[in-house]
Amino acid sequence: MLVVQKFGGTSMGGCARIEAVARRVIESKKLYEDLVVVVSAMGDTTDDFLNLAHYFGARSNQRELDRLLSSGEQISSALLAIALESMGQKACSLSGSEAGILTDARYTKAQILDIDTAKIKELLAQNFVVVVAGFQGISPSGEITTLGRGGSDLSAVALAGALHAGLCEIYTDVDGIYTTDPRIVPRARKIDEISYEEMLELASMGAKVLFNRSVELAKKYNIPLVTRNSFNSTEGTRITSEEKILEKPIVSGIALDTDQARVNIVDALDYPGIAGEVFGLLAGAGINIDLIVQTVARNGKTDINFTVPKGDLEACLHVLKNLQNIGSIEHDDKIAKVSVVGVGMRSHSGIASAVFNALAKENINILMIGTSEIKISVVVEVGVAELALKTLHTAFKLDL
Ligand code: ADP
Ligand code: ASP
Ligand code: MG
């Protein structure tokens, strides 16, 4: 069977850890015939590189930034190949470009267009373990691109899809997917299996244990996905289709996203097309928005509130400067979003009121609300976000 394994930054954080990863890879190679290993940069390398670039100002040239950031994964992939060779295992590292990962040209958030697997297949046929630098690809004009923070998960899942792998294993620094971030809520429980849909919502709403676009791709191509701890041999969490899951809790997990900001367009003239105009401008600038609340118009004027990732706030405010017929624009980056997720919500009523009542009991004020079929999100002040998370975790009986 062909298996793709991915090892994250903490797992690759230093030579001793890379050695441990190499030992695990050699064990896996004995078990599975063909092995492709995707790696992240060592430890905090990507953050360190970003800080280096920030020395020269907040807005670096994006092309140069991608060349800088992608080098972290090139170092770690080469080191893992060196470690494997030193233990007698044939191994060959490839950059994203050498691995045939073709992306569009959107630096720092490129989308994968296609993967040419010829070179990887050739190496596998010669019994090499192929070590691929995660998080990166090459644009049609031959420029290095990166896929967005956390993007090595996407490299792994996309390779698993293109190579028709029997399994994609994501090795990280926790035992699997938990009911919420176990570093914030120590009483969080590990989940044995979770549906692609729920995982996608959790990842999109801030659970950075998996990159949301990797889950989206795994769902689309039905790729068997498992998250496991690279430091022990526990079973991990299976991410699979909803039909395969026997026991479906009403609420599976809760995500916290502190990387959001709220923008309020005050006193916008209320005419047909105003929302299209606002969000058209933002879409044109490649800015992703999430919760949107428009107030009922009074005296022909309305407020339009929405959330954006903090990293996009500056660009968002810049784009909105061109808007006509509005009062003012306010923003607030001291907010957080807490999202309760579960497929069981489809068939159960009362979840929203349970969320609001639990928060009210703790005197937590809700600033915005958003829902989907399997999710309820609330925006609260960042100072009470962890209390909100813990309160909801207890209220939905998710505590250990
Ligand atoms: P890697 O470097 O291996 O990609 P990440 O730091 O990106 O690892 O993701 C793992 C981290 O995700 C964990 O250490 C944990 O703090 C965090 N996390 C957030 N939400 C969850 C969750 N629901 N289950 C497990 N981990 C979570
Ligand atoms: N090294 C990149 C990051 O820190 C990609 C990844 O780890 O997945 O975002
Ligand atoms: Mg990650």
Side-chain angles (χ1 to χ4, degrees):
M1 176 162 77
L2 193 159
V3 171
V4 176
Q5 297 184 327
K6 177 251 167 179
F7 291 88
T10 316
S11 315
M12 296 292 290
C15 289
R17 288 188 177 173
I18 292 179
E19 199 174 12
V21 167
R23 273 198 293 274
R24 192 180 270 264
V25 165
I26 290 171
E27 285 309 304
S28 303
K29 170 76 175 138
K30 286 182 199 149
L31 202 63
Y32 311 118
E33 234 162 90
D34 294 322
L35 198 59
V36 174
V37 180
V38 174
V39 291
S40 288
M42 294 169 69
D44 295 329
T45 303
T46 311
D47 288 325
D48 295 344
F49 284 165
L50 278 171
N51 286 333
L52 287 178
H54 282 163
Y55 177 86
F56 303 99
R59 298 205 120 242
S60 307
N61 178 301
Q62 303 277 290
R63 172 186 184 271
E64 303 307 329
L65 206 54
D66 270 1
R67 298 178 70 80
L68 174 68
L69 297 187
S70 63
S71 66
E73 270 71 7
Q74 295 189 22
I75 294 169
S76 57
S77 56
L79 278 176
L80 179 57
I82 289 170
L84 287 165
E85 287 278 340
S86 77
M87 294 176 187
Q89 172 61 56
K90 272 172 82 174
C92 179
S93 69
L94 300 176
S95 66
S97 157
E98 290 163 336
I101 300 177
L102 182 73
T103 72
D104 62 20
R106 280 194 288 169
Y107 296 120
T108 73
K109 43 177 136 176
Q111 306 263 359
I112 297 178
L113 300 174
D114 193 19
I115 300 184
D116 176 357
T117 54
K119 184 151 188 167
I120 294 182
K121 283 184 177 152
E122 201 184 300
L123 288 165
L124 289 175
Q126 294 169 47
N127 217 20
F128 280 95
V129 167
V130 182
V131 185
V132 179
F135 177 53
Q136 59 188 271
I138 188 132
S139 75
S141 60
E143 301 281 321
I144 295 174
T145 53
T146 65
L147 307 174
R149 295 305 306 270
S152 297
D153 296 337
L154 179 61
S155 309
V157 172
L159 282 169
L163 292 161
H164 304 289
L167 178 64
C168 180
E169 291 183 318
I170 307 285
Y171 283 90
T172 183
D173 54 6
V174 286
D175 284 355
I177 310 300
Y178 283 69
T179 47
T180 193
D181 189 338
R183 295 190 198 284
I184 302 176
V185 182
R187 301 189 68 181
R189 270 191 287 119
K190 202 206 98 193
I191 303 170
D192 291 333
E193 49 181 8
I194 187 166
S195 66
Y196 293 121
E197 290 87 340
E198 288 167 308
M199 193 60 237
L200 181 56
E201 287 281 17
L202 287 172
S204 302
M205 293 298 122
K208 67 164 185 166
V209 60
L210 282 178
F211 185 52
N212 60 352
R213 280 158 52 202
S214 72
V215 184
E216 202 174 5
L217 201 68
K219 175 173 184 274
K220 189 166 167 195
Y221 294 106
N222 232 328
I223 298 164
L225 192 60
V226 171
T227 48
R228 301 184 61 175
N229 195 327
S230 63
F231 300 102
N232 63 40
S233 310
T234 47
E235 281 260 310
T237 302
R238 256 172 13 100
I239 299 129
T240 184
S241 58
E242 196 181 324
E243 304 81 60
K244 290 195 186 145
I245 297 177
L246 297 177
E247 221 181 311
K248 296 190 182 85
I250 299 172
V251 170
S252 292
I254 308 182
L256 170 65
D257 190 349
T258 50
D259 191 37
Q260 295 281 312
R262 180 164 67 127
V263 176
N264 186 14
I265 303 173
V266 184
D267 280 347
L269 203 62
D270 188 33
Y271 59 90
I274 172 73
E277 215 170 289
V278 169
F279 296 112
L281 277 174
L282 295 171
I287 297 168
N288 279 330
I289 46 114
D290 186 30
L291 302 186
I292 305 172
V293 176
Q294 181 173 347
T295 55
V296 175
R298 287 197 200 290
N299 306 322
K301 297 208 167 144
T302 180
D303 282 6
I304 302 175
N305 268 268
F306 56 89
T307 57
V308 286
K310 270 185 195 158
D312 285 340
L313 179 62
E314 200 189 307
C316 169
L317 296 175
H318 182 74
V319 164
L320 294 181
K321 263 196 215 144
N322 303 328
L323 266 186
Q324 307 284 320
N325 300 321
I326 62 163
S328 59
I329 294 177
E330 296 171 345
H331 65 273
D332 178 4
D333 62 2
K334 306 269 182 306
I335 58 140
K337 190 163 57 186
V338 183
S339 305
V340 174
V341 173
V343 285
M345 278 186 211
R346 287 202 190 106
S347 48
H348 280 78
S349 56
I351 310 299
S353 65
V355 168
F356 307 147
N357 286 334
L359 294 176
K361 265 194 205 142
E362 291 296 329
N363 234 346
I364 295 169
N365 192 30
I366 299 172
L367 306 174
M368 291 169 88
I369 299 168
T371 61
S372 81
E373 209 188 1
I374 64 164
K375 175 196 78 188
I376 295 162
S377 297
V378 293
V379 171
V380 297
E381 278 169 18
V382 74
V384 293
E386 287 193 10
L387 175 63
L389 176 64
K390 285 176 183 155
T391 300
L392 294 173
H393 198 266
T394 305
F396 287 102
K397 301 191 168 45
L398 298 175
D399 288 349
L400 262 182

